[in-house]
Amino acid sequence: MSELPFWKIKTLEEMDQVEWESLCDGCGLCCLNKLEDWDTGDVVFTSVRCRLMDGDSCRCTDYENRQATVPECIQLTPAAVDEITWLPPTCGYRLIREGHDLYWWHPLVSGDPETVHQAGISARGHETVSEANVPVEDFETYVVDWPWKVGEEA
């Protein structure tokens, strides 16, 4: 009898740091700037990426020190997964919290960190721009809906 993978037997709260970090599929969608309507609470994605996000790899260029460099960087925790409404529908943290399994392209399932990109789930292949090059007052001109649509065929 084979042992089930940790994400099928542990809750988010029970995972150790290595397991927790491995749930990130590397899509980069969390690192896109979002705008929230103060009146309605509605959140929209922009194609403006965090200044630390590498647009090609969809990875943080200084992950260990990201919160010192970008204080507004979200620290994802089990409690935050419950509160953050903008997590993409394909997010591993969201899927596990909601009782679903990971998709075939998730690196924990496929064994390959490139499958998230090959499946079209990530920000790779979409035109994004660093926030270092866009004044915050112009973010509204970069609103996109594709982050909500990734994985519709997954």
Side-chain angles (χ1 to χ4, degrees):
M1 186 169 161
S2 65
E3 190 174 315
L4 291 173
F6 72 88
W7 65 88
K8 290 187 177 188
I9 56 175
K10 290 185 176 183
T11 66
L12 295 177
E13 290 79 7
E14 294 170 330
M15 293 179 189
D16 64 32
Q17 191 64 29
V18 171
E19 292 167 337
W20 176 264
E21 292 289 331
S22 70
L23 272 185
C24 175
D25 59 26
C27 71
L29 299 180
C30 283
C31 300
L32 297 176
N33 281 276
K34 273 84 59 199
L35 300 174
E36 181 176 1
D37 184 303
W38 288 15
D39 295 327
T40 66
D42 291 341
V43 175
V44 294
F45 278 85
T46 73
S47 59
V48 181
R49 66 182 183 273
C50 171
R51 61 186 162 274
L52 294 179
M53 180 182 160
D54 179 291
D56 294 321
S57 70
C58 294
R59 292 291 188 175
C60 184
T61 59
D62 192 15
Y63 186 75
E64 294 303 317
N65 302 305
R66 70 193 184 281
Q67 291 185 301
T69 308
V70 182
E72 63 274 16
C73 180
I74 300 293
Q75 177 66 43
L76 203 55
T77 64
V81 171
D82 293 334
E83 297 168 5
I84 299 174
T85 60
W86 51 256
L87 286 175
T90 55
C91 175
Y93 299 100
R94 180 177 179 169
L95 290 169
I96 298 305
R97 175 60 89 212
E98 294 175 354
H100 305 291
D101 200 358
L102 301 176
Y103 289 105
W104 66 267
W105 46 260
H106 193 287
L108 285 173
V109 177
S110 71
D112 182 354
E114 287 300 306
T115 53
V116 66
H117 307 297
Q118 293 164 353
I121 305 305
S122 73
R124 186 184 292 173
H126 295 278
E127 189 174 330
T128 62
V129 61
S130 173
E131 67 187 6
N133 301 324
V134 179
V136 71
E137 59 269 13
D138 291 344
F139 280 18
E140 285 186 18
T141 62
Y142 290 86
V143 170
V144 293
D145 66 351
W146 54 262
W148 293 116
K149 295 180 179 184
V150 295
E152 287 185 347
E153 299 170 13

